[in-house]
Amino acid sequence: MIASIIWKVVVSISKENRKARDIISGTKQFFLAIAIALDQLGNVAFGGFFNWLFLKDQEGLYNFGAAHETISEVLGWNLYLEHLNQKGKYMVALLDWIEKDHCIKAMRSGIETAQFKTDHWQDVQEYQVNSKL
């Protein structure tokens, strides 16, 4: 991973005609993507624990542990579904203190990503049908 980070920084700096803000923005997006991936890993690795810790019961309507979802996204769903226990509500409040409506934004981001994938899948299917004509 360290080699990848060094590569990203060197490539970002070495490209001609790149402005400093573009380098910073691209590097920021790179590290944000890594942070999201680690968050998703945490959701999978600690899903059962988070179900026990944050949900009213462990057989909830929207449990932790699914791949490709962040902890905040699952907290957002359970906030919306009113399925968080007091510890879960405290965690949401903490995250909302750091960023306003963090968990709801994470939930919406997950919905938007799923919609993008669905739309893209339909576009690919239409392209394949049209390319065979």
Side-chain angles (χ1 to χ4, degrees), residues 111-129:
I111 293 168
E112 291 166 2
T113 299
Q115 185 62 54
F116 172 80
K117 288 180 180 181
T118 301
D119 293 345
H120 187 66
W121 175 253
Q122 290 173 345
D123 291 344
V124 168
Q125 295 299 307
E126 288 174 16
Y127 173 79
Q128 288 177 336
V129 168

Side-chain angles (χ1 to χ4, degrees), residues 4-74:
S4 175
I5 293 169
I6 293 169
W7 174 86
K8 176 64 176 174
V9 172
V10 169
V11 168
S12 294
I13 293 171
S14 65
K15 285 190 176 181
E16 292 184 32
N17 300 325
R18 292 216 42 203
K19 296 178 182 174
R21 72 172 177 259
D22 294 336
I23 293 169
I24 293 168
S25 176
T27 304
K28 182 176 117 179
Q29 291 300 323
F30 175 75
F31 286 109
L32 179 61
I34 290 173
I36 290 170
L38 291 173
D39 193 347
Q40 292 170 339
L41 174 63
N43 181 41
V44 172
F46 297 100
F49 175 70
F50 290 145
N51 289 332
W52 170 80
L53 185 63
F54 295 136
L55 302 183
K56 287 181 180 176
D57 63 68
Q58 293 183 30
E59 297 302 321
L61 299 172
Y62 206 96
N63 287 346
F64 290 90
H68 307 294
E69 291 181 339
T70 64
I71 297 163
S72 297
E73 181 179 352
V74 181

Side-chain angles (χ1 to χ4, degrees), residues 54 75 79 84-97:
F54 295 136
L75 283 168
L79 177 67
L84 293 174
N85 63 23
Q86 200 60 41
K87 291 178 199 130
K89 291 175 186 176
Y90 287 140
M91 179 56 71
V92 169
L94 173 65
L95 293 168
D96 284 351
W97 178 74

